Amino acid sequence: MLRYAVRRLATPALARNASTLILVEHDGVAVNAATLNTVTAAGKIGGPVHALVAGDSCAAVAEEAAKIPGIEKVIVAEGPTLKGNLAEAVTDAVLAVQAANSYSHILANGTVSGKNILPRVGAKIPGIEKVIVAEGPTLKGNLAEAVTDAVLAVQAANSYSHILANGTVSGKNILPRVGAKLDVAPISDIIGIESEDTFHRTI
């Protein structure tokens, strides 16, 4: 099952420097195995990967998460209001961590829990009006060809005027493929945006 993700509208600096927060799913004792797939997906994005462990008593889970390869930092949100990992409480914890760190991406497992929490998070992050999810076995590993097909399907349904991605290896691998299918030329290395048709690029 693929990861569920929220991307926020970013400044040019953030768009060029990805960072990811992963919501660690757990039962209060151990990390859900699906979280390992989410960590792998975060690694494909590039940049530092931090993990949020939320719960009323989750020291053991945090210790386990810290040993997962690819995670640079574990952030713990702990307290009685997080007992049972209710979506509303976990959402507040994610938003607090996001406010303090300004991650370019927030990922969670494509499980009932992830699908319950991240839409709430996305709805409360300034600049995001709607979260669209593409998931399935063909998207495992976030291969460029499969993600391209997903982007094209969403574009066909919504007719966006602009499609943006981070200036990372992943973004530079996917958007030229999307552009070729849409018969448009992508504009790369943008460092500033003045209007819908005026951009600043590196020289």
Side-chain angles (χ1 to χ4, degrees):
M1 197 175 297
L2 195 71
R3 282 60 58 193
Y4 205 56
V6 167
R7 259 198 66 191
R8 71 187 187 88
L9 296 180
T11 64
L14 282 172
R16 295 169 61 83
N17 298 284
S19 59
T20 302
L21 175 67
I22 292 174
L23 178 59
V24 176
E25 189 170 339
H26 62 90
D27 59 3
V29 178
V31 173
N32 185 312
T35 298
L36 301 179
N37 296 330
T38 305
V39 174
T40 299
K44 301 288 185 181
I45 294 171
V49 177
H50 296 174
L52 171 61
V53 177
D56 65 326
S57 180
C58 49
V61 176
E63 184 176 345
E64 181 184 352
K67 296 177 182 178
I68 298 174
I71 291 180
E72 297 185 14
K73 179 181 179 181
V74 174
I75 300 169
V76 179
E78 196 171 43
T81 59
L82 287 162
K83 186 174 183 178
N85 283 349
L86 296 179
E88 293 80 2
V90 176
T91 295
D92 289 342
V94 173
L95 291 171
V97 173
Q98 172 63 15
N101 295 276
S102 298
Y103 296 103
S104 62
H105 295 71
I106 303 174
L107 304 184
N109 296 344
T111 57
V112 172
S113 176
K115 292 177 180 180
N116 196 13
I117 294 169
L118 281 202
R120 299 170 189 265
V121 172
K124 292 190 176 183
I125 293 179
I128 294 179
E129 295 185 7
K130 181 179 182 181
V131 177
I132 300 172
V133 181
E135 64 176 359
T138 60
L139 286 162
K140 185 175 182 180
N142 283 350
L143 296 179
E145 294 81 359
V147 176
T148 295
D149 289 342
V151 173
L152 291 170
V154 173
Q155 172 63 14
N158 295 275
S159 298
Y160 295 109
S161 60
H162 297 71
I163 301 174
L164 278 63
N166 285 350
T168 58
V169 172
S170 176
K172 291 179 178 179
N173 195 13
I174 294 168
L175 280 199
R177 299 169 189 266
V178 172
K181 295 279 189 177
L182 295 175
D183 196 25
V184 296
I187 302 174
S188 62
D189 300 316
I190 293 174
I191 58 173
I193 299 176
E194 288 191 10
S195 66
E196 64 179 19
D197 59 1
T198 305
F199 312 100
H200 295 287
R201 299 181 63 200
T202 55
I203 299 176

